[in-house]
Amino acid sequence: MKFNWVFLNPFHAPGFSGSLYSIKDYYQLHPLFRGESRESPEQLLRGFVRQAEKQGLAVMMDLVINHTAKDSPLVSQHPEWYLHEEDGSVHSPFVVAPNDPQNVTVWGDLAEIDYRQRSAREELLAYWKKLLQHYIRLGFHGFRCDAAYKVPGEVWAELIETARQLNPEIRFFAETLGAPLHQVEQLHSAGFDYFFNSAKWWDFHAGWLLEQYEQFRHIAPSIAFPESHDTERLAAEGGGEERHSRTWYLFTAFFSTGVMLPIGYEYGFRRKLHVVETRPEDWEEPAFDLTSFIGAVNAMKVNAPVLNEEGPQRRFTPPSHPLVGLLRQSEHSAENVVGLINTDTERSHDFGLDHLREVMGVEVEAIQEITPFHPTNSLAGHQQIQVAPYSMRIFHALGQRS
């Protein structure tokens, strides 16, 4: 499918809840991943990374340092590293529903780490630096930083600097979904290479996603996804229609510098991934096969440099119109690209070629279609572009803007 990274959710030994994100021991493997092997965790992980490299894949691991499992040995060994309640018990992180202050979810299996400035923080950072060094030496190429906004930017800056002293090519990906703007902005100088954006939740009409894109693109480029391990499966939400999954993958690949999908998306899996319960036997019978389509989309992205940077992006169609037009422009050249998304599930919609020429600022002859499995000269002899129900078409232009 022409991906260049594989991202692993936490593979460490979990605490009593069994959740991948409730880490008890950062240096031991989850028993389910270890299997019957007698090799050490280091040998197994190093072998995995090397096999991935042979397939042209860099390996990114999850870095969870905003909390640990409540039954982690670190809680008793270093109680000063954690936040505590008035009665002395370890504080568990929680979240309040934005539309209902009475709806509070507490993660009782987790112990929240205290990053306030004090002497204990230096010891804590030394522990994380050693952990980073351990996994970089095993060959990992990057770290997806869970709930990065909950850790101060200056802490990340120090950790990232330490990692790059060992490997200047190491990459850091900040997970900041749902965070307030000020918590994301405090990461501005931390040194992150990428953020994850909220394109998955867009209805194609509201203005918030493009506003967020403009605010965050100056911090770091972003990665979009049509579903994740935290969301429902798109095939379940979209009634299992192949066109639904095609359009959403094409849109997320178009919208931002990076694109990600969880295993099974390409086959229309419907069962939601679960950080405690998912097992290999949950593999489903494929509803369809998008592997060649996804490979073609990724190839399209590689061949259009404008799709690999976060330049200006705007909508040029009315917010309420079923045909959504997006223009992405390069900040380094005259290259630009237009995406036409038909959100209507029943009817085709047309878009005038003259209007496309005006939007892209070039003559029609300079515009090529780059939608996978469409001819590049699809505009020849036509005055209108027809976009089929619930589909997307993409047009690319190079050269001097008129």
Side-chain angles (χ1 to χ4, degrees), residues 272-326:
K272 186 184 180 196
L273 293 164
H274 196 287
V275 296
V276 177
E277 299 172 3
T278 295
R279 296 293 183 272
E281 51 268 28
D282 292 324
W283 189 264
E284 301 175 38
E285 189 69 28
F288 45 73
D289 186 346
L290 295 184
T291 53
S292 61
F293 174 76
I294 290 169
V297 173
N298 290 349
M300 172 201 78
K301 194 168 179 64
V302 167
N303 292 322
V306 67
L307 294 177
N308 298 282
E309 63 170 283
E310 307 268 288
Q313 182 167 197
R314 66 178 177 88
R315 177 173 51 197
F316 54 84
T317 51
S320 58
H321 199 281
L323 188 64
V324 179
L326 296 175

Side-chain angles (χ1 to χ4, degrees), residues 201-242:
W201 291 275
W202 198 34
D203 65 357
F204 294 110
H205 302 293
W208 64 264
L209 181 64
L210 291 168
E211 293 168 7
Q212 183 189 86
Y213 174 91
E214 181 59 30
Q215 290 172 327
F216 290 171
R217 74 182 182 90
H218 301 288
I219 301 175
S222 66
I223 298 169
F225 50 87
E227 67 182 32
S228 78
H229 68 270
D230 286 322
T231 71
E232 298 294 333
R233 288 288 202 174
L234 188 73
E237 293 178 324
E241 286 195 66
E242 183 176 335

Side-chain angles (χ1 to χ4, degrees), residues 85-106:
E85 304 290 357
E86 291 183 3
D87 63 3
S89 62
V90 177
H91 175 78
S92 291
F94 65 90
V95 64
V96 179
N99 57 349
D100 182 6
Q102 303 302 315
N103 184 2
V104 180
T105 301
V106 179

Side-chain angles (χ1 to χ4, degrees), residues 6 37 60 70 114 126 177 289 291 300 327 338 376 396:
V6 57
S37 175
M60 180 197 320
K70 190 166 277 189
D114 184 358
L177 298 172
D289 186 346
T291 53
M300 172 201 78
L327 171 70
V338 157
T376 57
H396 180 254

Side-chain angles (χ1 to χ4, degrees), residues 42-62:
E42 291 76 17
Q43 289 172 310
L44 290 168
L45 290 168
R46 186 181 285 113
F48 178 88
V49 171
R50 286 176 177 169
Q51 288 299 320
E53 289 173 342
K54 289 179 182 178
Q55 303 298 326
L57 291 165
V59 183
M60 180 197 320
M61 62 172 277
D62 230 324

